[in-house]
Every structure is written in structure tokens, then in C-alpha cells.
Amino acid sequence: MDIIIYFSSLIIFFALSLRILQALHIEGKFEKMKIWEIKAAYFIIALVIGHMLAEIMVKFSELFQGTI
């Protein structure tokens, strides 16, 4: 059950964080015409944020499973 919660949360939070990062326009912090590096940075940062938030969701589910 935890794996289902983790992967579904990871996908949702990855997509949300990727959209938020793209809205922040951090391209100005990179050199011009470094498209590959910018996209890789977006992907890695969004994946890390998604992982951290998915782990929080798993911890919440474990907390509520113990009380039922």
C-alpha cells in the first residue's frame, strides 16, 4: 500500500513542482543557450521536491494506519 501511495504522490508532486519551477523563470541564473542544463536542473529539482513530498505522504499514511 505504501508503494502505491509513494508513486502516485511522486507523480502528482513532480508534475506540480515542475510547473511551479517553470513559472519561476530561473533561466536567468544560467548562461544563454544552455537549454539542456536548464531542463536537467528543472527535472532534478522537481524530482527531489516530489520525492520529499511523497515521503511525507507515506509518513502521514503510516500515521493514520496505526490509529485505525
Side-chain angles (χ1 to χ4, degrees):
M1 183 68 174
D2 289 342
I3 299 220
I4 295 170
I5 293 171
Y6 174 78
F7 279 114
S8 60
S9 299
L10 180 66
I11 292 169
I12 291 168
F13 289 130
F14 173 76
L16 282 172
S17 61
L18 191 61
R19 293 285 290 178
I20 291 169
L21 286 171
Q22 288 175 341
L24 291 176
H25 300 291
I26 60 172
E27 296 93 5
K29 304 293 181 195
F30 292 91
E31 293 180 20
K32 299 259 188 232
M33 301 306 292
K34 298 286 185 172
I35 310 270
W36 186 86
E37 288 88 352
I38 295 169
K39 289 185 180 193
Y42 277 146
F43 183 82
I44 291 170
I45 294 169
L47 190 60
V48 168
I49 292 170
H51 167 72
M52 290 179 0
L53 293 173
E55 284 291 326
I56 291 171
M57 293 302 290
V58 169
K59 296 296 181 191
F60 276 138
S61 72
E62 288 174 357
L63 180 71
F64 291 122
Q65 285 176 355
T67 59
I68 295 176

